[in-house]
Amino acid sequence: MITVKDLQPHPLDQVHRLIEPGPVILVTTRHRGIPNVMTNGFNMLVRHDPPLIACTIGPWDHSYQALVKTGECVISVPTADMAATVVDIGNCSGADVEKFEEFDLTAVSGAEVQAPLVAECFANIECSIFRRGKAAGTAAPTPRTSRAGSAR
């Protein structure tokens, strides 16, 4: 039987990794005609009906200003074979790199929002921002429409 003496300490700044249930997603925006995509690992479903998704996106993210200005985004669910690309997208800033071009992603026009869908992703959820949280960097996108299945 395992006792507390058998367990190893775990750093408090890493405990989120033990309970994070959500997938790593891509969040796209379009501001002043320029598309951007970011990797997001801090997200969760808040409500089923009507649907509400919470994401942590803050002033430290290039996409934050586009979200504040436009009030919309697309949540794209990448396929497993996109894992390396998703990591690379998260390791650079849209302030420095045109990510759709750099990572050979196909931007597809949505039906409800100006932010692009990612054709290579398994699903794309067009969202408007329901509320920005009082805690720095929280947003609650409300899905408007969803498209499942890659466009490729």
Side-chain angles (χ1 to χ4, degrees):
M1 177 195 259
I2 295 176
T3 68
V4 74
K5 292 178 186 177
D6 298 317
L7 301 175
Q8 299 296 314
H10 195 81
L12 287 179
D13 65 345
Q14 300 295 313
V15 297
H16 64 279
R17 294 181 178 181
L18 299 172
I19 60 173
E20 177 55 43
V24 174
I25 59 174
L26 297 175
V27 177
T28 71
T29 55
R30 183 183 305 274
H31 185 236
R32 297 183 179 149
I34 301 169
N36 189 44
V37 58
M38 67 172 285
T39 299
N40 181 278
F42 294 99
N43 56 79
M44 66 180 202
L45 184 63
V46 176
R47 185 176 60 209
H48 290 100
D49 188 22
L52 185 64
I53 301 165
C55 299
T56 299
I57 301 169
W60 54 86
D61 294 308
H62 178 69
S63 296
Y64 179 76
Q65 286 306 315
L67 284 169
V68 169
K69 300 286 187 201
T70 67
E72 59 185 36
C73 66
V74 172
I75 294 175
S76 300
V77 182
T79 59
D81 63 325
M82 293 179 67
T85 300
V86 170
V87 170
D88 291 343
I89 289 168
N91 284 332
C92 63
S93 172
D96 305 318
V97 176
E98 204 299 317
K99 294 184 186 183
F100 276 87
E101 184 177 306
E102 178 73 19
F103 299 108
D104 198 28
L105 298 174
T106 308
V108 176
S109 295
E112 299 287 332
V113 300
Q114 295 299 309
L117 285 65
V118 180
E120 292 76 12
C121 285
F122 168 72
N124 289 274
I125 306 166
E126 297 179 60
C127 302
S128 57
I129 303 303
F130 173 71
R131 177 178 36 199
R132 286 188 325 189
K134 291 182 181 180
T138 59
T142 301
R144 290 185 183 176
T145 187
S146 176
R147 308 254 187 270
S150 174
R152 288 199 163 202

